[in-house]
Amino acid sequence: MLRRFLGRTASLTLLGILCAALPAAADSGIGSVLGDQLVPSANSAIKAAIREQSLHAADVAQVPPIQQPAKAPAQTGLPTGWTYMADFSAAWSLGNTGASNKLPGGVDGMLAYGFSPTLRAEAAYYEVQHYPVGFNTGVVPVYVQGVANPIGTQDLSTAGIDVATKDKFTLLMLEHLITIGHKLPIVITPTYVSRTSMIGGPDDKQVVEANGFPLQIQARTVQVQALALTLPFLSTPKMFGTFTIAPSWLVHRAGLNVENKAQVYSILYLEYRPTDRTTIFLEPQSSRDYLPADVYAQHLNSYFLGISHRLTRNTFVQAVLNSGGPSNYKPYGLTGIYCQQLVPCSKQAITAGGLHATQLQLQFGIGTPSVLPF
Amino acid sequence: MKLRPTLSLAAAATLALALSACGGGGGSSAAYTPSAPPSGSPATTNIVGLGDSLTAGEQSGALLGAPVPVSGSLFPALPPTQEAGWWAQMWSSANGGAASTAVLPVIAGAPLGSMIIPGATPTQLTSFPLQSCSGAGSQNNLSAFALGSALQTRANPSAAPFDLGVPGMLAHEALYMTGPYQSACTIAPPTNVQQGQLNLLATLLGAESLNFYPVLGNFPGKTAVQAAVSLHPTLATVWFGENELLKFVGSLGQVNPTSPQQFQADILSIIQQLQQAGAKVAVGNLLDPLKAPAFIPQPGLQTALISAGVPAVVAGAVTPAIQASLQSTYGVGPNGYVTLSGLRKIALGLPSTTPALGPGDFVPDALAAATEQQLTALNAAISADAQSTGAALVDIYGTFNQLFQAGAVPINPPKCCSTQFGGGLFSYDGLHPSNTGYALVANTWIQTIDGKFSLTIPPVSVSAAYATDPWAPH
């Protein structure tokens, strides 16, 4: 039971964190998505491996008596066979987004197949919506191409610019559990993430100013590949913790990117289980992440604080508070409007600093018991 | 501050050489015969020009590749400007007098812009077309703003031109601009203060829009520099910077499009990209635009009014009061300027001695000083780029400074030629040279290029250019 408990907790926490994190992750980047997906799944396998070690030691000391029925084999690592999960969520922004203080959330889904307790392939799809902080309450300068000084200011609440954003992520992962020296279980996860988005319309095509001239880019469409390594540092009956480090690269540069150096994503995960059905977790993160609108990688810091509770064998509910934003792209939100076509000022480019979100998300989901919380 | 004497000495030598071609050499005034650009060229043939209106061959406010009959003027036809430009004259000289129009984006006419020409009387100037965006002769201007129709303005729409000069273009724009700022010729009347500001800025900043696609329409999606590289030049000329200064002046200092540091980086990038494409590169520095006849020094206002047709007695009576008004209202003192448009407003406003002027009509003393500082900085940037890249530095500043200091050059004395308005070295817009002036510019380029790269491009014949120069007195 404990193994299943650990596995389900980690797996559901994984998805819960991932889904809950996305609104902020949309702000804090694809690195958070990578981490939120990788960490709980890896945690699941590590917990199971640690549990197996302790059970193995107990088996040696206490051989089952003859004729005693054997227990059903407990899960010893990654879930095997087919597993799935789906959920829908709603979110409430706690940041300053003015009148558009709504984050509708989205739907998510995951399908995985475990070849063995040490090898598992997983595909997932997630979507989330968000708004830049201060969008509807800010007053930003208006520039004309070729003119250094702004010609005036514009209240964004009346600017007629829609930057409501829905991000969509597709992830492909191959998880591999390795136990070093029969004592230290680690998980290595090659991962591919494809991100698309819609910004105020059917796609994320936006005009940005590059070197003083208009350039249309897909502002949030990127593909990333990563290689993650997850290590445990704490394991007690009530608590568990891991650290994950994941170097990542863009599959190719896009938009304003001028480089594609390896960006290291790191995440600390710590959970406390007050009951068999409930888990409280804290997850501070730090990552470097490229978006097409950025010349250089954003330096992203964020945290997630959540609680998961299993309702039935196949259902769960989870609430997560998260907050994050880049430390090297300030000020936050939309910071300027540029007229790229002088007469009329119809072709506009907007300039955004870092995007920051603080929000609470509530989600309800179903799934295979082995990948649900607990 | 040490740069100018150095440049002036060099300019004196350059000017002497330029003028030495006055009496000889074959003419290069080619007939209008558009044809395919040359191929399989030797080093001196495959020339590509990057620049602004000076490289494009603009004169009297317009760009035109073929003569266009016009009525109501002392001119039987609007004179073509492109083949009279320095770049076309140099190309012809480098190619044995071949038709320069073969490598120009030949504007079929009517001209792009409004050409300033003599009216019904010698002292009266008029524009053709009278309205750039409406009425007879405006069709080219209307068509020029869209990629789909801009090449209709060309006599050789399918030929990729080698003269890629775009009037109004900045160095930074040559590197990054792939489309015009404005989508149409007509500027709608402002409906609010902000739109009025935009319209004003458009008149100051949007000149590239009219000329962008007619010149670069054969290279859709490419910047001017990318287009130049795609032509695989063996010799490339680079001459940017005057618009950086003129937009600064025209906006009364509100628009300073390029810092000297950015300008130096931009010119460096342009040179390096061309060199990497295999071209020898020559880069020109900048003449002082405030010394051109478009800018009338405030102390010379009385003489200018008389030249504009104001009776001497009247001019003498009102000038002190007008100068006082210019000083108190606009900051135009002894070191400031009134432009040709400002002079026209002053003359038409008489007997009022408190003229109502706007941006582009005057240059306050402080702005004039700032412009001179900017000129010095930009020329230093060009010089540094030429030195660091091994490009030939063509001392246009020195050539014109020598001319401005002398005030005249004896091409056909006493009729021609001076640096004054109508004196024969500049066209009627007061900024772009006449055929004769462009010939002097061409010889400055040729002399430097020949010396730097051991080439033998013969100098153009200044006297031949003068002989058919519609802008010079005969």
Side-chain angles (χ1 to χ4, degrees):
Chain A
M1 288 298 294
L2 182 57
R3 289 177 186 169
R4 295 184 65 185
F5 168 82
L6 287 171
R8 291 172 187 173
T9 299
S11 297
L12 182 54
T13 302
L14 133 70
L15 188 57
I17 293 172
L18 174 62
C19 299
L22 284 178
D27 293 332
S28 54
I30 209 164
S32 292
V33 179
L34 283 171
D36 292 334
Q37 175 69 352
L38 287 166
V39 170
S41 189
N43 287 350
S44 169
I46 291 171
K47 285 177 181 176
I50 292 174
R51 177 62 179 163
E52 181 186 19
Q53 290 168 16
S54 60
L55 288 178
H56 177 70
D59 289 345
V60 171
Q62 296 180 344
V63 178
I66 299 173
Q67 304 295 333
Q68 182 175 338
K71 291 182 179 178
Q75 187 172 319
T76 57
L78 294 161
T80 56
W82 289 103
T83 53
Y84 76 96
M85 182 179 293
D87 76 84
F88 67 93
S89 62
W92 295 266
S93 172
L94 304 181
N96 177 13
T97 59
S100 295
N101 192 17
K102 298 176 181 176
L103 293 172
V107 297
D108 316 306
M110 180 276 289
L111 182 64
Y113 184 79
F115 299 98
S116 71
T118 60
L119 186 64
R120 182 173 184 248
E122 180 175 336
Y125 171 81
Y126 305 98
E127 59 183 37
V128 68
Q129 300 186 27
H130 67 97
Y131 296 86
V133 167
F135 177 73
N136 282 289
T137 57
V139 175
V140 301
V142 177
Y143 297 87
V144 170
Q145 189 175 38
V147 181
N149 299 319
I151 63 170
T153 57
Q154 174 67 55
D155 187 335
L156 289 174
S157 63
T158 60
I161 298 174
D162 184 4
V163 293
T165 300
K166 171 175 274 189
D167 286 327
K168 304 174 180 179
F169 297 89
T170 301
L171 294 90
L172 300 175
M173 300 190 306
L174 187 65
E175 300 162 305
H176 187 39
L177 174 64
I178 301 173
T179 302
I180 299 176
H182 303 290
K183 290 184 177 179
L184 179 61
I186 66 172
V187 175
I188 298 174
T189 312
T191 304
Y192 170 84
V193 180
S194 175
R195 171 187 193 154
T196 59
S197 187
M198 298 189 300
I199 303 176
D203 55 41
D204 63 340
K205 292 179 179 176
Q206 280 202 311
V207 176
V208 298
E209 188 169 87
N211 291 310
F213 289 84
L215 176 67
Q216 181 171 276
I217 62 172
Q218 288 188 266
R220 304 181 76 83
T221 296
V222 294
Q223 296 83 45
V224 171
Q225 52 198 357
L227 184 62
L229 172 65
T230 301
L231 303 165
F233 66 85
L234 174 65
S235 179
T236 71
K238 290 288 187 181
M239 299 189 70
F240 181 73
T242 58
F243 178 73
T244 297
I245 185 168
S248 64
W249 298 263
L250 291 171
V251 175
H252 56 78
R253 292 188 302 171
L256 305 185
N257 299 152
V258 299
E259 62 180 21
N260 185 17
K261 298 177 181 176
Q263 302 300 316
V264 178
Y265 174 80
S266 57
I267 178 171
L268 190 70
Y269 176 84
L270 185 64
E271 73 175 28
Y272 173 69
R273 296 184 296 272
T275 73
D276 285 353
R277 300 171 68 90
T278 303
T279 296
I280 300 170
F281 60 89
L282 174 64
E283 188 181 59
Q285 304 178 359
S286 174
S287 68
R288 305 288 186 267
D289 191 51
Y290 287 107
L291 279 175
D294 298 332
V295 177
Y296 301 104
Q298 294 188 8
H299 296 185
L300 303 165
N301 299 300
S302 58
Y303 72 85
F304 305 89
L305 178 62
I307 180 169
S308 301
H309 185 73
R310 180 173 179 175
L311 299 175
T312 68
R313 175 178 170 81
N314 291 88
T315 61
F316 70 94
V317 60
Q318 180 168 268
V320 179
L321 173 69
N322 58 59
S323 180
S327 60
N328 61 333
Y329 280 84
K330 290 184 176 179
Y332 293 127
L334 190 56
T335 59
I337 300 174
Y338 287 74
C339 295
Q340 297 290 338
Q341 210 166 49
L342 291 177
V343 179
C345 181
S346 59
K347 191 171 185 178
Q348 297 174 344
I350 63 174
T351 298
L355 303 182
H356 183 96
T358 300
Q359 64 182 329
L360 178 66
Q361 177 151 331
L362 183 64
Q363 62 187 131
F364 301 89
I366 62 172
T368 309
S370 63
V371 296
L372 292 186
F374 327 104
Chain B
M1 292 302 291
K2 292 181 178 178
L3 180 63
R4 287 192 178 179
T6 305
L7 291 173
S8 297
L9 289 173
T14 302
L15 182 60
L17 181 91
L19 294 176
S20 70
C22 286
S28 61
S29 180
Y32 167 57
T33 53
S35 59
S39 60
S41 315
T44 57
T45 303
N46 197 5
I47 311 171
V48 167
L50 276 174
D52 48 32
S53 57
L54 293 167
T55 298
E58 183 166 319
Q59 291 177 318
S60 295
L63 197 65
L64 179 63
V68 176
V70 59
S71 60
S73 169
L74 292 178
F75 279 5
L78 301 179
T81 70
Q82 292 173 275
E83 58 205 83
W86 71 267
W87 191 91
Q89 292 191 51
M90 183 183 74
W91 188 93
S92 292
S93 189
N95 289 275
S100 61
T101 49
V103 287
L104 299 177
V106 181
I107 305 303
L112 292 180
S114 292
M115 186 175 287
I116 305 168
I117 54 175
T121 62
T123 58
Q124 177 193 12
L125 294 177
T126 185
S127 294
F128 184 87
L130 288 173
Q131 300 294 326
S132 295
C133 301
S134 62
S138 64
Q139 187 55 50
N140 266 11
N141 288 335
L142 295 171
S143 302
F145 289 86
L147 178 60
S149 58
L151 292 180
Q152 297 172 13
T153 69
R154 293 261 299 276
N156 55 348
S158 62
F162 280 57
D163 183 348
L164 303 179
V166 177
M169 183 166 270
L170 311 172
H172 198 70
E173 292 170 340
L175 279 168
Y176 297 105
M177 186 178 185
T178 57
Y181 295 141
Q182 291 176 224
S183 58
C185 182
T186 303
I187 298 176
T191 56
N192 52 51
V193 174
Q194 188 182 74
Q195 190 59 51
Q197 292 176 310
L198 290 174
N199 287 0
L200 176 59
L201 288 167
T203 62
L204 296 168
L205 303 175
E208 305 88 326
S209 300
L210 173 62
N211 300 279
F212 187 88
Y213 281 141
V215 175
L216 295 174
N218 303 101
F219 312 92
K222 281 188 167 65
T223 66
V225 175
Q226 291 168 341
V229 169
S230 73
L231 293 171
H232 306 292
T234 54
L235 175 64
T237 63
V238 178
W239 191 14
F240 289 105
E242 296 294 350
N243 286 294
E244 275 82 350
L245 297 170
L246 291 172
K247 289 179 179 180
F248 181 56
V249 171
S251 67
L252 293 177
Q254 298 303 303
V255 176
N256 193 359
T258 313
S259 68
Q261 294 76 20
Q262 181 66 57
F263 182 76
Q264 182 168 342
D266 290 339
I267 293 294
L268 179 65
S269 177
I270 293 171
I271 293 173
Q272 289 176 333
Q273 289 188 49
L274 291 167
Q275 288 177 330
Q276 289 166 5
K280 297 178 174 65
V281 179
V283 57
N285 64 10
L286 309 176
L287 62 96
D288 186 346
L290 297 181
K291 298 295 189 294
F295 297 92
I296 299 141
Q298 187 256 33
L301 180 61
Q302 181 174 338
T303 303
L305 286 171
I306 295 171
S307 299
V310 177
V313 173
V314 175
V318 299
T319 295
I322 293 173
Q323 288 174 325
S325 176
L326 290 172
Q327 173 78 72
S328 61
T329 306
Y330 302 109
V332 179
N335 297 313
Y337 298 84
V338 172
T339 67
L340 289 175
S341 63
L343 179 68
R344 182 172 182 272
K345 289 181 180 178
I346 292 171
L348 292 176
L350 291 174
S352 170
T353 57
T354 55
L357 304 180
D361 293 333
F362 63 95
V363 183
D365 289 26
L367 178 60
T371 303
E372 296 292 350
Q373 291 178 350
Q374 187 79 345
L375 169 67
T376 301
L378 297 189
N379 274 340
I382 294 169
S383 179
D385 284 341
Q387 186 171 11
S388 66
T389 59
L393 176 61
V394 184
D395 188 15
I396 301 298
Y397 172 85
T399 296
F400 275 92
N401 198 44
Q402 181 72 9
L403 287 171
F404 291 139
Q405 287 185 355
V409 57
I411 293 174
N412 181 25
K415 293 182 178 179
C416 199
C417 296
S418 79
T419 58
Q420 298 299 309
F421 185 84
L425 291 177
F426 286 88
S427 62
Y428 290 160
D429 58 25
L431 281 173
H432 299 94
S434 63
N435 299 9
T436 310
Y438 270 137
L440 297 175
V441 174
N443 282 340
T444 304
W445 283 86
I446 290 170
Q447 185 240 353
T448 305
I449 289 171
D450 282 355
K452 177 73 175 182
F453 301 123
S454 300
L455 301 178
T456 56
I457 303 174
V460 303
S461 169
V462 176
S463 61
Y466 167 72
T468 57
D469 189 348
W471 317 109
H474 294 277

